[in-house]
Amino acid sequence: MYENPLAYLAGLEGLALLRSFTGEHGRDFVEARLAELRELLDDEALADAAVEVARVGTVDGYRIWSPTYDGPNAAFDIDEPLIGEMVDGIRAETALDAACGTGRMAALLAGRGHRVLGVDSSPDMLARARQRVPGGEFRLGELTRLPVADDAVDLVVCSLALTHVPDLRPVMAEFARVLRPGGHLLTSDVHPERVALGAVPPVRLPDGRPGRLESHRHSAGDYLRAALGAGFEVRRCEEPVIPAPERPETEDGQPAPARELGPWELWPWCLADLVPEAAQAARAGMPAEIIWQFRLTGP
């Protein structure tokens, strides 16, 4: 992967200008964006700042990420309230936390009285899940080949994992296989629009090279086609939006100076601070996650 901060900033300016083209902003905004884009193109600090980034598989990536995965992670604050609300409407029985990670959702399920089974492909994450939910049962396995018997569970929860899967269809088929008829499936993922803006987890490889976990952008239609094809029906879909943070001001009331390029680990979000107006316009109304509730139809 070739990550060029100048290209990213130009992309944000372009998205902001497209919003302007459809009437969301006026002439002054457009002229400011074009002027800012010219300044970016002339900025020598951006000219040679590009970085080559490795694609990292989930097993290796989560081995690196597991010690710090649990926080701070803003994505947790988005999906946990909604998933919890959905779980509250489902009778406590046997639940599978698929791609359980460190057991975040397993703990939520256990706290609501479910008998919990967790599956993950990362031994390092499973070790933390076992410590977190000592009453649960945790197994090593892949989403496409779950080590779970047919018709064994009443509820499947899969949080922030399906973006790592290239094809949703075999995973949805596995969820349908292990669920009893009438069972529920709850999924949460980074929204495809956010993935397109660079919301892909970063890791530092043992040799210091930058890497990002293998990620894929699935549209709402991709989720629907895979789920309906596996025998699910849609019960609920949420696309929560995070309000844009206010830009801090200096004592004279002017916007505070943007930060410099910042460390690679904070790309692309710290890059957006260099073009705050364009970034805010590009992201306006953009959902942070996509959260589904499906129900498996009867035979």
Side-chain angles (χ1 to χ4, degrees):
M1 300 169 63
Y2 178 73
E3 296 188 6
N4 187 314
L6 175 58
Y8 188 84
L9 295 171
L12 287 179
E13 298 285 1
L15 288 173
L17 288 167
L18 286 176
R19 298 255 188 167
S20 303
F21 197 82
T22 56
E24 293 185 30
H25 303 280
R27 179 173 181 172
D28 290 346
F29 181 88
V30 171
E31 291 180 349
R33 300 283 67 72
L34 293 174
E36 191 169 55
L37 183 55
R38 295 187 188 99
E39 292 175 2
L40 291 170
L41 293 171
D42 291 336
D43 191 336
E44 295 182 359
L46 297 173
D48 300 311
V51 176
E52 298 282 352
V53 180
R55 296 181 188 273
V56 183
T58 54
V59 174
D60 292 334
Y62 280 106
R63 179 184 301 118
I64 299 169
W65 197 8
S66 62
T68 59
Y69 179 77
D70 284 330
N73 192 326
F76 298 168
D77 297 331
I78 301 169
D79 70 349
E80 283 186 15
L82 285 166
I83 293 291
E85 179 184 320
M86 294 175 184
V87 171
D88 286 340
I90 299 171
R91 186 173 64 183
E93 295 181 285
T94 302
L96 168 64
D97 184 0
C100 65
T102 60
R104 179 173 64 97
M105 286 296 167
L108 182 151
L109 293 165
R112 285 165 167 79
H114 291 267
R115 187 173 72 85
V116 177
L117 170 64
V119 173
D120 201 277
S121 63
S122 168
D124 300 87
M125 299 291 264
L126 281 173
R128 295 179 180 275
R130 292 187 180 103
Q131 293 177 344
R132 188 174 197 165
V133 188
E137 180 183 352
F138 295 93
R139 302 173 185 174
L140 185 67
E142 301 285 343
L143 287 175
T144 52
R145 295 185 64 183
L146 292 168
V148 181
D150 296 356
D151 303 326
V153 301
D154 305 284
L155 169 64
V156 174
V157 176
C158 185
S159 174
L160 303 177
L162 294 181
T163 52
H164 300 313
V165 175
D167 185 353
L168 296 175
R169 291 172 296 179
V171 178
M172 288 293 186
E174 273 293 273
F175 292 159
R177 178 184 67 80
V178 303
L179 271 170
R180 299 186 181 102
H184 292 265
L185 167 64
L186 312 180
T187 71
S188 69
D189 278 291
V190 177
H191 199 277
E193 292 189 35
R194 290 275 173 172
V195 176
L197 271 187
V200 179
V203 293
R204 279 284 179 184
L205 299 176
D207 61 4
R209 289 182 300 140
R212 292 196 188 271
L213 269 68
E214 180 182 358
S215 297
H216 306 271
R217 184 159 60 96
H218 301 304
S219 69
D222 292 333
Y223 289 98
L224 277 175
R225 283 183 289 272
L228 296 177
F232 289 100
E233 62 181 15
V234 180
R235 301 300 296 271
R236 185 174 174 182
C237 179
E238 299 288 347
E239 295 178 286
V241 176
I242 302 177
E246 294 185 3
R247 184 163 167 74
E249 295 184 349
T250 57
E251 292 182 359
D252 60 2
Q254 297 299 312
R259 291 182 292 180
E260 297 180 356
L261 282 178
W264 170 83
E265 284 83 356
L266 297 182
W267 288 10
W269 312 123
C270 69
L271 297 178
D273 290 337
L274 297 173
V275 291
E277 291 183 353
Q280 186 170 10
R283 298 174 184 170
M286 181 179 293
E289 294 186 17
I290 185 165
I291 300 172
W292 295 94
Q293 180 177 7
F294 299 103
R295 181 179 178 274
L296 185 63
T297 57

